[in-house]
Amino acid sequence: MNTQSSPVLKNKVAVVTGGGRGIGAAIARRLAQLGAAVVVSGRSLQTLQQTATSIRSTGGIAEPIACDVSQWQSVRSLAEEAKRKFQHVDILVNNAGIGGFASPLHELEVNSWDEILNTNLRGVFYCIKAFAPLLIAAGRGDIVNISSLAGKNALPNGAAYSASKWGLNGLSYSVAEELRKYKIRVSVVCPGSTNTDLSPHEGKDFSRMLQPEDVAECVALIVTQAERAFTSEILLRPTQKP
């Protein structure tokens, strides 16, 4: 795909949560390469500014806006600010998430459960609630939810994280049916072992792991497909087990 000569997302506006680093930053950069103006969102304005600077340095358009997706008022403010700056939103990538892989469920602190579920699942609900009306007003659009293969398989010592991703998958499938009549595609990407700092990867070969750019390429595929086509789910694995 020649992104330099064919900015297929020109005049599109994308919002990427968790856009300050890792997978979110890679997605934001890729969408900008494809011509979209990108709102990069997350809790740390400093890391968001770094992502935005990297996008602008190559001629892209990026706007960093701090937001905590676990807080409804914060998400609503994000949507209002995105609309004020760009008048419309065409793509929403729900990538913000936190891990939790250190203990069996019965030893997990209640606050840790709340933090994981509120960010990984409730946060996606908030974002869809805030942004779906903007996509409906635009007459079409894409919502891409970044899940995990932990939403498909058992994850010992990560039950809360796994539950949040199983829930995210079910939410995605259901909302997809609700929004199809508005020409809005809701997709879910489920990566396997990815080389980010979300979780520890002791004993794994980093060179065999997925890289954030691999996940970003899946998002690019989804949002650049012909409007008649709808890739509802991608399961992404390393070619060789790390």
Side-chain angles (χ1 to χ4, degrees):
M1 189 182 298
N2 189 335
T3 61
Q4 298 302 317
S5 61
S6 180
V8 293
L9 296 181
K10 184 178 180 180
N11 299 323
K12 300 289 188 181
V13 177
V15 175
V16 181
T17 69
R21 58 184 181 176
I23 291 172
I27 292 170
R29 289 192 295 266
R30 188 69 177 107
L31 296 181
Q33 288 172 359
L34 292 168
V38 184
V39 175
V40 286
S41 171
R43 289 183 292 186
S44 170
L45 186 58
Q46 180 179 1
T47 58
L48 297 175
Q49 289 171 335
Q50 291 171 355
T51 300
T53 297
S54 71
I55 290 172
R56 292 168 180 161
S57 69
T58 58
I61 300 171
E63 185 70 31
I65 302 176
C67 174
D68 181 350
V69 298
S70 70
Q71 302 297 319
W72 166 242
Q73 293 300 332
S74 185
V75 174
R76 187 165 69 173
S77 295
L78 171 65
E80 291 171 351
E81 184 69 4
K83 182 180 180 181
R84 186 184 71 81
K85 288 184 178 294
F86 295 103
Q87 290 72 58
H88 63 98
V89 172
D90 308 280
I91 299 166
L92 169 65
V93 181
N94 288 306
N95 168 74
I98 59 175
F101 313 100
S103 69
L105 186 66
H106 70 277
E107 295 179 1
L108 185 71
E109 295 292 338
V110 171
N111 288 344
S112 296
W113 168 275
D114 290 342
E115 186 178 12
I116 292 168
L117 271 292
N118 287 348
T119 301
N120 296 2
L121 187 54
R122 185 189 295 267
V124 176
F125 159 58
Y126 285 162
C127 287
I128 291 175
K129 181 175 177 62
F131 283 97
L134 298 181
L135 273 66
I136 291 171
R140 59 181 51 82
D142 285 282
I143 297 173
V144 184
N145 297 328
I146 306 303
S147 183
S148 169
L149 288 182
K152 295 286 185 178
N153 306 301
L155 184 63
N157 294 328
Y161 179 80
S162 182
S164 73
K165 296 303 186 178
W166 280 79
L168 176 57
N169 291 347
L171 179 149
S172 301
Y173 310 145
S174 300
V175 175
E177 294 305 310
E178 295 173 358
L179 295 180
R180 286 177 79 175
K181 62 184 176 183
Y182 300 109
K183 299 182 181 178
I184 297 170
R185 303 178 293 197
V186 181
S187 307
V188 61
V189 178
C190 299
S193 296
T194 306
N195 186 17
T196 71
D197 59 3
L198 176 68
S199 61
H201 299 295
E202 290 89 352
K204 291 192 175 183
D205 183 344
F206 290 179
S207 68
R208 292 188 176 188
M209 295 176 70
L210 296 170
Q211 301 301 313
E213 291 74 18
D214 298 321
V215 184
E217 202 60 39
C218 289
V219 176
L221 167 68
I222 289 169
V223 301
T224 58
Q225 284 191 308
E227 291 182 7
R228 65 179 177 271
F230 170 32
T231 299
S232 60
E233 182 178 59
I234 294 177
L235 308 183
L236 183 64
R237 295 180 171 88
T239 301
Q240 294 182 304
K241 290 185 178 182

